Amino acid sequence: APDYSVPYILRKMLGKNEIIPKKLRIVNFYGGKISPDEIRQIFQRYPNINFIYSYGQTEASPRVTYIERKDLETRMASCGKAISGVNVSIEAPRGECLSAYNEGEIVVSGDNVMCGYYRNESLTQSVIINNKLYTKDIGYLDEEGFLYVTGRKDNMFIIAGKNIHPEEIETLALTYHEVKEALACLKKYKQVMGIVLYVVAHDLTTVNKRDLSEFLYENLEDYKVPREIVVIQEFEKTSSGKIVRRKYEED
């Protein structure tokens, strides 16, 4: 049977020199995003462990997709294919199913989908339509059916009439060598609403904000580039290691 973890714990493992028990052969992790660079480090450090990454929601009992190490090594941004008996599709706002590489809402159907929220019919009807679960997560499928999660509808904000998913900015920032963790949000900056990027540096050192800003400018459309970069020591997190996003959006 596999052992279970979340990305937060895996990051802690990378920072320790403790010996991992030899009997540990399979680790299923889920519950948050993890950068390709971190996955590469984990694979290098633990070559004999089959790491399995999963995507799911409580409303789907909870697993929806999974990807094993052999596939994750070449698809580090993916969270895998649908498990047996589950169907995953991508839908546009108007309800039509989208083809490969087209981004839209992730929709799940199968016997794993919940009947509804207890004594909350209105909330149930907002996410369960025609026996399908509308996850509010944004993503796409490739031509082989591997799922890629790129954002969440609840986190999306609009600048100059254009939709922006902060996860895109955060994922790019995590590829910069000095950045360990990142969170982008829409806030008032110098009396104008703009994107603010909070980052935590590797090993509690520092981040060259000018160089990071240039890196983001080179790899993002202009309207997605943060107006301000704020370096902090650590993020406030939930018990499962997820960043408490609302705290930084409201500060």
Side-chain angles (χ1 to χ4, degrees), residues 7 11 29 32 36 48 58 60-61 64 72 74 83 100-101 120 128 152 171 210 228 231 237 247 250:
R11 292 188 186 99
F29 64 101
N48 298 319
T58 302
S61 302
V64 174
L72 195 54
T74 56
I83 64 173
Y101 297 105
N120 197 330
I128 302 292
R152 183 155 177 83
T171 300
R210 178 179 293 181
E228 181 183 20
V231 181
K237 297 176 179 175
K247 170 179 172 57
E250 296 168 0

mmCIF file of all heavy atoms in Angstrom, residues 7 11 29 32 36 48 58 60-61 64 72 74 83 100-101 120 128 152 171 210 228 231 237 247 250:
data_model
loop_
_atom_site.group_PDB
_atom_site.id
_atom_site.type_symbol
_atom_site.label_atom_id
_atom_site.label_comp_id
_atom_site.label_asym_id
_atom_site.label_seq_id
_atom_site.Cartn_x
_atom_site.Cartn_y
_atom_site.Cartn_z
ATOM 1 N N PRO A 7 2.561 18.139 -1.072
ATOM 2 C CA PRO A 7 3.794 18.797 -1.517
ATOM 3 C C PRO A 7 4.567 19.488 -0.396
ATOM 4 O O PRO A 7 5.801 19.497 -0.411
ATOM 5 C CB PRO A 7 3.275 19.807 -2.550
ATOM 6 C CG PRO A 7 2.082 19.134 -3.132
ATOM 7 C CD PRO A 7 1.418 18.456 -1.965
ATOM 8 N N ARG A 11 8.601 18.990 0.287
ATOM 9 C CA ARG A 11 9.579 20.076 0.344
ATOM 10 C C ARG A 11 10.404 19.985 1.628
ATOM 11 O O ARG A 11 11.606 20.261 1.624
ATOM 12 C CB ARG A 11 8.871 21.431 0.276
ATOM 13 C CG ARG A 11 8.214 21.719 -1.067
ATOM 14 C CD ARG A 11 7.709 23.138 -1.152
ATOM 15 N NE ARG A 11 6.974 23.342 -2.389
ATOM 16 C CZ ARG A 11 5.653 23.322 -2.487
ATOM 17 N NH1 ARG A 11 4.910 23.128 -1.402
ATOM 18 N NH2 ARG A 11 5.063 23.507 -3.646
ATOM 19 N N PHE A 29 1.134 11.649 -3.632
ATOM 20 C CA PHE A 29 1.009 13.005 -3.079
ATOM 21 C C PHE A 29 -0.023 13.808 -3.863
ATOM 22 O O PHE A 29 -0.289 13.564 -5.038
ATOM 23 C CB PHE A 29 2.358 13.715 -3.040
ATOM 24 C CG PHE A 29 3.003 13.983 -4.377
ATOM 25 C CD1 PHE A 29 2.943 15.235 -4.965
ATOM 26 C CD2 PHE A 29 3.705 12.981 -5.046
ATOM 27 C CE1 PHE A 29 3.553 15.485 -6.186
ATOM 28 C CE2 PHE A 29 4.316 13.222 -6.261
ATOM 29 C CZ PHE A 29 4.235 14.474 -6.845
ATOM 30 N N GLY A 32 -1.991 20.122 -3.587
ATOM 31 C CA GLY A 32 -1.302 21.382 -3.817
ATOM 32 C C GLY A 32 -0.380 21.279 -5.014
ATOM 33 O O GLY A 32 -0.107 20.188 -5.523
ATOM 34 N N PRO A 36 8.082 21.848 -11.349
ATOM 35 C CA PRO A 36 8.889 20.830 -12.030
ATOM 36 C C PRO A 36 10.288 20.708 -11.437
ATOM 37 O O PRO A 36 10.832 19.602 -11.349
ATOM 38 C CB PRO A 36 8.926 21.335 -13.477
ATOM 39 C CG PRO A 36 7.646 22.082 -13.636
ATOM 40 C CD PRO A 36 7.454 22.775 -12.313
ATOM 41 N N ASN A 48 14.501 5.338 -5.908
ATOM 42 C CA ASN A 48 13.837 4.038 -5.809
ATOM 43 C C ASN A 48 12.378 4.128 -5.369
ATOM 44 O O ASN A 48 11.733 3.094 -5.163
ATOM 45 C CB ASN A 48 14.604 3.134 -4.835
ATOM 46 C CG ASN A 48 16.021 2.857 -5.312
ATOM 47 O OD1 ASN A 48 16.239 2.622 -6.504
ATOM 48 N ND2 ASN A 48 16.980 2.907 -4.405
ATOM 49 N N THR A 58 -12.820 16.795 -2.807
ATOM 50 C CA THR A 58 -13.640 16.079 -1.835
ATOM 51 C C THR A 58 -14.959 15.647 -2.461
ATOM 52 O O THR A 58 -15.454 14.535 -2.214
ATOM 53 C CB THR A 58 -13.922 16.978 -0.614
ATOM 54 O OG1 THR A 58 -12.680 17.387 -0.033
ATOM 55 C CG2 THR A 58 -14.750 16.249 0.430
ATOM 56 N N ALA A 60 -15.488 14.594 -5.227
ATOM 57 C CA ALA A 60 -15.295 13.472 -6.163
ATOM 58 C C ALA A 60 -14.703 12.259 -5.462
ATOM 59 O O ALA A 60 -14.101 11.398 -6.098
ATOM 60 C CB ALA A 60 -14.414 13.892 -7.327
ATOM 61 N N SER A 61 -14.764 12.215 -4.195
ATOM 62 C CA SER A 61 -14.511 11.026 -3.330
ATOM 63 C C SER A 61 -13.091 10.529 -3.056
ATOM 64 O O SER A 61 -12.991 9.383 -2.625
ATOM 65 C CB SER A 61 -15.334 9.844 -3.867
ATOM 66 O OG SER A 61 -16.696 10.169 -3.894
ATOM 67 N N VAL A 64 -9.468 11.957 -8.736
ATOM 68 C CA VAL A 64 -9.977 12.075 -10.101
ATOM 69 C C VAL A 64 -8.954 11.558 -11.106
ATOM 70 O O VAL A 64 -9.274 10.794 -12.006
ATOM 71 C CB VAL A 64 -10.357 13.533 -10.428
ATOM 72 C CG1 VAL A 64 -10.737 13.686 -11.895
ATOM 73 C CG2 VAL A 64 -11.508 13.998 -9.528
ATOM 74 N N LEU A 72 5.428 10.975 -15.067
ATOM 75 C CA LEU A 72 5.668 12.290 -14.472
ATOM 76 C C LEU A 72 7.042 12.837 -14.856
ATOM 77 O O LEU A 72 7.250 14.049 -14.947
ATOM 78 C CB LEU A 72 5.539 12.197 -12.951
ATOM 79 C CG LEU A 72 5.395 13.494 -12.151
ATOM 80 C CD1 LEU A 72 4.246 14.337 -12.663
ATOM 81 C CD2 LEU A 72 5.209 13.178 -10.682
ATOM 82 N N THR A 74 8.378 12.869 -17.675
ATOM 83 C CA THR A 74 8.313 13.567 -18.962
ATOM 84 C C THR A 74 7.135 14.532 -19.045
ATOM 85 O O THR A 74 7.019 15.277 -20.013
ATOM 86 C CB THR A 74 8.216 12.562 -20.124
ATOM 87 O OG1 THR A 74 7.081 11.710 -19.917
ATOM 88 C CG2 THR A 74 9.474 11.714 -20.205
ATOM 89 N N ILE A 83 -8.879 8.201 -13.368
ATOM 90 C CA ILE A 83 -8.863 6.853 -12.823
ATOM 91 C C ILE A 83 -10.003 6.046 -13.457
ATOM 92 O O ILE A 83 -10.899 6.597 -14.091
ATOM 93 C CB ILE A 83 -9.003 6.865 -11.284
ATOM 94 C CG1 ILE A 83 -10.363 7.446 -10.872
ATOM 95 C CG2 ILE A 83 -7.877 7.656 -10.652
ATOM 96 C CD1 ILE A 83 -10.637 7.334 -9.383
ATOM 97 N N ALA A 100 -8.288 18.966 -27.338
ATOM 98 C CA ALA A 100 -6.977 18.982 -26.690
ATOM 99 C C ALA A 100 -6.323 20.357 -26.743
ATOM 100 O O ALA A 100 -6.413 21.067 -27.750
ATOM 101 C CB ALA A 100 -6.059 17.953 -27.347
ATOM 102 N N TYR A 101 -5.703 20.715 -25.639
ATOM 103 C CA TYR A 101 -4.923 21.942 -25.463
ATOM 104 C C TYR A 101 -5.764 23.221 -25.395
ATOM 105 O O TYR A 101 -5.218 24.310 -25.341
ATOM 106 C CB TYR A 101 -3.853 22.073 -26.554
ATOM 107 C CG TYR A 101 -2.840 20.957 -26.488
ATOM 108 C CD1 TYR A 101 -2.866 19.915 -27.409
ATOM 109 C CD2 TYR A 101 -1.869 20.926 -25.487
ATOM 110 C CE1 TYR A 101 -1.953 18.867 -27.337
ATOM 111 C CE2 TYR A 101 -0.954 19.886 -25.412
ATOM 112 C CZ TYR A 101 -0.995 18.861 -26.340
ATOM 113 O OH TYR A 101 -0.095 17.838 -26.254
ATOM 114 N N ASN A 120 -28.114 21.561 1.480
ATOM 115 C CA ASN A 120 -27.781 22.811 0.785
ATOM 116 C C ASN A 120 -28.012 22.608 -0.710
ATOM 117 O O ASN A 120 -27.079 22.409 -1.485
ATOM 118 C CB ASN A 120 -26.334 23.227 1.060
ATOM 119 C CG ASN A 120 -26.081 24.675 0.709
ATOM 120 O OD1 ASN A 120 -26.719 25.226 -0.191
ATOM 121 N ND2 ASN A 120 -25.140 25.297 1.405
ATOM 122 N N ILE A 128 -23.255 20.707 -9.400
ATOM 123 C CA ILE A 128 -23.690 19.454 -10.007
ATOM 124 C C ILE A 128 -24.766 19.757 -11.048
ATOM 125 O O ILE A 128 -25.871 20.183 -10.714
ATOM 126 C CB ILE A 128 -24.263 18.462 -8.969
ATOM 127 C CG1 ILE A 128 -23.230 18.166 -7.885
ATOM 128 C CG2 ILE A 128 -24.700 17.169 -9.660
ATOM 129 C CD1 ILE A 128 -22.018 17.394 -8.342
ATOM 130 N N ARG A 152 -7.736 28.442 -11.097
ATOM 131 C CA ARG A 152 -9.030 28.233 -10.449
ATOM 132 C C ARG A 152 -9.911 29.450 -10.703
ATOM 133 O O ARG A 152 -9.450 30.591 -10.593
ATOM 134 C CB ARG A 152 -8.848 27.999 -8.954
ATOM 135 C CG ARG A 152 -10.153 27.695 -8.234
ATOM 136 C CD ARG A 152 -9.952 26.913 -6.982
ATOM 137 N NE ARG A 152 -11.228 26.697 -6.292
ATOM 138 C CZ ARG A 152 -12.085 25.729 -6.581
ATOM 139 N NH1 ARG A 152 -11.800 24.875 -7.546
ATOM 140 N NH2 ARG A 152 -13.217 25.602 -5.930
ATOM 141 N N THR A 171 3.514 29.907 -11.202
ATOM 142 C CA THR A 171 4.250 28.764 -11.755
ATOM 143 C C THR A 171 5.521 29.220 -12.461
ATOM 144 O O THR A 171 6.585 28.593 -12.336
ATOM 145 C CB THR A 171 3.361 27.979 -12.733
ATOM 146 O OG1 THR A 171 2.212 27.495 -12.033
ATOM 147 C CG2 THR A 171 4.114 26.802 -13.333
ATOM 148 N N ARG A 210 14.772 43.063 -9.102
ATOM 149 C CA ARG A 210 14.933 43.610 -10.448
ATOM 150 C C ARG A 210 15.143 42.504 -11.470
ATOM 151 O O ARG A 210 14.506 42.496 -12.535
ATOM 152 C CB ARG A 210 16.113 44.587 -10.484
ATOM 153 C CG ARG A 210 16.373 45.156 -11.883
ATOM 154 C CD ARG A 210 17.519 46.132 -11.879
ATOM 155 N NE ARG A 210 17.189 47.329 -11.118
ATOM 156 C CZ ARG A 210 18.020 48.370 -10.961
ATOM 157 N NH1 ARG A 210 19.228 48.333 -11.504
ATOM 158 N NH2 ARG A 210 17.648 49.420 -10.259
ATOM 159 N N GLU A 228 4.525 45.082 -8.547
ATOM 160 C CA GLU A 228 5.377 45.077 -7.356
ATOM 161 C C GLU A 228 5.716 43.647 -6.973
ATOM 162 O O GLU A 228 4.892 42.741 -7.104
ATOM 163 C CB GLU A 228 4.664 45.762 -6.185
ATOM 164 C CG GLU A 228 5.496 45.826 -4.913
ATOM 165 C CD GLU A 228 4.746 46.447 -3.745
ATOM 166 O OE1 GLU A 228 3.500 46.480 -3.781
ATOM 167 O OE2 GLU A 228 5.414 46.888 -2.788
ATOM 168 N N VAL A 231 9.205 40.481 -1.104
ATOM 169 C CA VAL A 231 9.915 39.312 -0.571
ATOM 170 C C VAL A 231 9.564 39.175 0.913
ATOM 171 O O VAL A 231 9.721 40.122 1.683
ATOM 172 C CB VAL A 231 11.436 39.455 -0.738
ATOM 173 C CG1 VAL A 231 12.146 38.217 -0.187
ATOM 174 C CG2 VAL A 231 11.803 39.660 -2.203
ATOM 175 N N LYS A 237 0.130 29.384 6.297
ATOM 176 C CA LYS A 237 -0.401 28.213 5.611
ATOM 177 C C LYS A 237 -1.422 27.476 6.461
ATOM 178 O O LYS A 237 -1.486 27.641 7.677
ATOM 179 C CB LYS A 237 0.744 27.258 5.239
ATOM 180 C CG LYS A 237 1.743 27.865 4.260
ATOM 181 C CD LYS A 237 2.905 26.944 3.985
ATOM 182 C CE LYS A 237 3.880 27.559 2.994
ATOM 183 N NZ LYS A 237 5.071 26.735 2.800
ATOM 184 N N LYS A 247 -5.524 35.886 2.812
ATOM 185 C CA LYS A 247 -4.826 36.786 3.728
ATOM 186 C C LYS A 247 -4.009 37.821 2.960
ATOM 187 O O LYS A 247 -3.989 39.003 3.311
ATOM 188 C CB LYS A 247 -3.896 35.993 4.661
ATOM 189 C CG LYS A 247 -2.965 36.876 5.484
ATOM 190 C CD LYS A 247 -2.091 36.075 6.408
ATOM 191 C CE LYS A 247 -1.049 36.970 7.070
ATOM 192 N NZ LYS A 247 -1.635 38.091 7.812
ATOM 193 N N GLU A 250 -6.150 40.412 0.919
ATOM 194 C CA GLU A 250 -6.881 41.407 1.705
ATOM 195 C C GLU A 250 -5.980 42.352 2.481
ATOM 196 O O GLU A 250 -6.425 43.408 2.925
ATOM 197 C CB GLU A 250 -7.808 40.684 2.688
ATOM 198 C CG GLU A 250 -8.894 39.868 1.983
ATOM 199 C CD GLU A 250 -9.619 38.936 2.918
ATOM 200 O OE1 GLU A 250 -9.270 38.924 4.123
ATOM 201 O OE2 GLU A 250 -10.534 38.222 2.456
#
